[in-house]
Amino acid sequence: KHDQKLKAYKAAASSANWDSEESAFELERSRQGQLEALAEAGKLRDRVKELEKENAGRVAELLDELATGRSQLEAYESKFHANERLYNAKISELVGRLDELEEEGRRRSNDMVSRAAVLEMEALFSETVEKLMARVNQLEGRAKENKEVESLAPAQVERKMREARATNDDPQAMALLERMERDANRGV
């Protein structure tokens, strides 16, 4: 019976020893896994730090580019606003000049006589000159025929000339009357 108990104790001790060794082996394997995980975590931490440095450098470059872009944009906006003010001033100047030219054109068109009116005045002047010449010729003819009328003719001609001068505003007709008067005074 002792032997059996001894065998049972040995078997239990052996089994416990085996369990203990297996637990130690499992513990060692678990420690080894944790060390490997820690080593991997250290590598990952180093890689993260490296990536953070790279990203920080790239972020700094991007911030510099952004600042440069903003300063260029401000310069372009400033130049745009300056050009806009210049263009607005030029447009205002041109609009003012256009208004002046339109006003001058209106004044000129109001001051000008139409071509039809000029032709009408020319025809009227020619008709008046023809009538005056006919009348002068008629008066000269009568004066030559009648000696009495010849002494009265200068007075009558003078009276007719005064009447014509008083009723006529046309400068060309007036010049013609003055020339006729001079010719009459000279005896032409």
Side-chain angles (χ1 to χ4, degrees), residues 81-143:
H81 291 303
N83 285 338
E84 185 178 35
R85 285 189 299 274
L86 177 66
Y87 293 146
N88 287 339
K90 288 287 185 185
I91 287 171
S92 296
E93 181 182 325
L94 290 174
V95 166
R97 181 67 179 133
L98 180 63
D99 289 343
E100 290 173 9
L101 290 174
E102 286 176 347
E103 180 62 30
E104 186 176 328
R106 280 192 290 273
R107 275 196 315 265
R108 282 185 181 177
S109 92
N110 290 340
D111 291 347
M112 289 188 149
V113 177
S114 70
R115 186 156 187 76
V118 169
L119 292 174
E120 184 181 332
M121 285 189 279
E122 186 177 295
L124 180 64
F125 177 73
S126 296
E127 184 181 320
T128 304
V129 168
E130 287 175 11
K131 284 181 182 179
L132 285 174
M133 290 300 288
R135 182 71 177 143
V136 167
N137 287 338
Q138 183 184 19
L139 289 174
E140 283 179 352
R142 281 188 192 167

Side-chain angles (χ1 to χ4, degrees), residues 32 40 46-47 50 52 58 68 75 83 95 97 107 126-127 136 145 163 172:
Q32 188 65 26
E40 187 66 29
D46 292 343
R47 179 69 180 138
E50 184 180 313
E52 283 179 352
R58 182 66 181 137
T68 302
N83 285 338
V95 166
R97 181 67 179 133
R107 275 196 315 265
S126 296
E127 184 181 320
V136 167
E145 291 175 3
E163 287 174 9
Q172 290 179 339

Side-chain angles (χ1 to χ4, degrees), residues 136-155:
V136 167
N137 287 338
Q138 183 184 19
L139 289 174
E140 283 179 352
R142 281 188 192 167
K144 287 180 183 176
E145 291 175 3
N146 193 350
K147 295 276 182 194
E148 284 178 9
V149 175
E150 193 172 295
S151 64
L152 295 176

Side-chain angles (χ1 to χ4, degrees), residues 11-23:
S14 175
S15 175
N17 193 20
W18 174 255
D19 285 339
S20 173
E21 283 180 15
E22 195 174 307
S23 292

